[in-house]
Amino acid sequence: MKVTEHIEKANGKTLFSFEILPPLKGQNIQSIFDGIDPLMEFNPPFIDVTYHREEYEYKELASGLLERRVVKKRPGTVGICSAIQNKYQVDAIPHILCGGFTKEDTENFLIDLDFLGIQNVVALRGDAVKSEIYFRPEKDGHHYATELVTQIANLNNGVYLDEELLNSACTDFCIGVAGYPEKHMEAPSLDSDLHFLKQKIKNGAQYIITQMFFDNHKFFEFVAKCRKEGITVPIIPGLKPIATKKQLNTIPHRFKVDLPDDLIMEVVKAKDNDAVKQVGIEWCTAQSKELVKAGIPVLHYYSMGKAENIKAIAKAVF
């Protein structure tokens, strides 16, 4: 079932969903199930599976030149989605990136998903690899998520890269895209960011899922600005509880989001990581309750395979 259909079927009830990481190469699917099992009592209608693009490493050749080699650290998104749908009978939603894919790679990836009966995807540009400062698309790949959305929407209309195909089948993907309540880190302004978000919707995206935020007012302001711009699709908030003191520095640096002073001070005062986790649970629980009260259709948690704190929040909210 599509995300939009899940929302319609809920008749105003707020749904619970979460996101997981593929395991590192060398680990098996059980590590995924261990992070999902404790959360199934809250009846998630869908579970997102991130895609981590290949990293690069450089090896010096005998000639003295550097050879760039691909290192695939987290494979298996398609297989994980299939396993989740088979084991739990819920919709699994793979993330699809511009980075690391040619247009043909993307089309083949989507064909595989369609064969597996996967009806939802999240289309993202993706970040630059760690060895590079700026995002660099693959040769014959997409530069922007707007282009990726267009390719998926084209497949939904039976339009493939090979224009000579006859009687080509239409896919039926529900396309999600990212939204940034505090703007994308590379966007010059929130208004310019909203311009491109609106373009993604125009190109075929059907719902928005946001970057994490820790101040609900920023989310509500973002939604209001989207509606003013004529963006009417469902907007799903992405939530993540603070779990370590280190995250006071890493989250703002990596994701370019602000942490409220009250949250910062509570984390600073915490005696150990267990106390920090409790602060994070209580803060995220308060956020969640306010969002439910506001009638938000889905609360989406970035669990990244760690179920303990998400379960504590869900118990208090759902």
Side-chain angles (χ1 to χ4, degrees):
M1 189 183 296
K2 297 179 180 179
V3 168
T4 49
E5 293 172 338
H6 281 298
I7 292 172
E8 291 172 7
K9 188 178 177 181
N11 291 321
K13 178 185 176 183
T14 301
L15 302 173
F16 165 82
S17 71
F18 60 96
E19 185 168 305
I20 62 170
L21 279 170
L24 290 168
K25 183 183 285 188
Q27 297 181 8
N28 61 27
I29 195 67
Q30 190 57 48
S31 63
I32 291 290
F33 295 155
D34 289 344
I36 293 175
D37 287 343
L39 301 176
M40 290 308 297
E41 67 178 278
F42 307 107
N43 300 313
F46 54 86
I47 298 169
D48 277 38
V49 181
T50 66
Y51 189 99
H52 274 238
R53 65 176 294 187
E54 294 87 351
E55 295 286 349
Y56 300 128
E57 67 177 12
Y58 292 86
K59 182 179 179 180
E60 186 173 359
L61 303 177
S63 62
L65 298 174
L66 292 178
E67 177 186 47
R68 191 173 79 162
R69 300 172 57 192
V70 171
V71 182
K72 197 170 184 182
K73 293 185 176 182
R74 290 184 183 270
T77 296
V78 175
I80 291 166
C81 287
S82 181
I84 288 172
Q85 294 201 158
N86 182 62
K87 179 177 175 64
Y88 298 105
Q89 303 301 304
V90 302
D91 287 300
I93 305 179
H95 291 189
I96 301 179
L97 307 181
C98 296
F101 288 86
T102 65
K103 294 171 187 175
E104 186 173 359
D105 291 335
T106 297
E107 182 171 276
N108 292 336
F109 188 56
L110 290 164
I111 289 170
D112 285 344
L113 296 177
D114 186 52
F115 286 164
L116 290 168
I118 291 170
Q119 292 186 295
N120 303 280
V121 294
V122 175
L124 306 164
R125 189 201 71 176
D127 299 326
V129 296
K130 292 179 181 178
S131 58
E132 298 173 354
I133 298 174
Y134 299 108
F135 173 81
R136 185 170 68 176
E138 293 297 306
K139 184 179 180 181
D140 196 33
H142 294 301
H143 290 71
Y144 306 106
T146 49
E147 299 170 347
L148 177 56
V149 170
T150 297
Q151 182 176 7
I152 302 169
N154 282 343
L155 275 184
N156 283 348
N157 291 315
V159 178
Y160 290 70
L161 294 175
D162 183 351
E163 297 178 356
E164 296 182 2
L165 289 177
L166 300 176
N167 302 317
S168 54
C170 298
T171 57
D172 191 23
F173 293 111
C174 179
I175 308 168
V177 292
Y180 298 84
E182 299 174 62
K183 86 174 183 64
H184 189 276
M185 65 182 73
E186 296 176 17
S189 70
L190 182 56
D191 286 343
S192 68
D193 208 18
L194 287 174
H195 168 79
F196 288 105
L197 178 58
K198 188 174 181 179
Q199 188 63 48
K200 287 187 280 189
I201 304 303
K202 183 179 178 180
N203 290 9
Q206 294 156 282
Y207 72 96
I208 297 165
I209 185 163
T210 78
Q211 172 66 281
M212 71 182 74
F213 57 91
F214 297 88
D215 182 346
N216 282 355
H217 292 297
K218 293 186 177 181
F219 173 76
F220 293 135
E221 289 174 358
F222 173 73
V223 172
K225 287 185 177 182
C226 285
R227 301 308 185 216
K228 186 177 180 181
E229 288 294 318
I231 297 172
T232 60
V233 301
I235 301 176
I236 299 172
L239 300 168
K240 180 179 176 65
I242 290 280
T244 66
K245 287 191 176 183
K246 184 179 179 181
Q247 288 177 329
L248 291 182
N249 301 112
T250 58
I251 287 177
H253 174 72
R254 183 177 178 187
F255 299 102
K256 302 298 185 288
V257 299
D258 292 331
L259 298 175
D261 288 336
D262 289 348
L263 173 59
I264 294 170
M265 294 312 299
E266 288 299 315
V267 171
V268 169
K269 289 189 296 184
K271 295 180 180 179
D272 52 35
N273 269 344
D274 286 340
V276 173
K277 284 182 182 178
Q278 189 56 39
V279 169
I281 288 168
E282 291 175 0
W283 188 274
C284 195
T285 297
Q287 276 191 274
S288 301
K289 288 182 176 180
E290 185 178 25
L291 291 166
V292 169
K293 188 176 180 180
I296 301 304
V298 185
L299 301 189
H300 185 75
Y301 296 90
Y302 296 111
S303 76
M304 314 319 264
K306 307 294 183 182
E308 183 182 355
N309 50 2
I310 305 299
K311 182 175 181 178
I313 295 163
K315 272 188 173 293
V317 177
F318 293 94

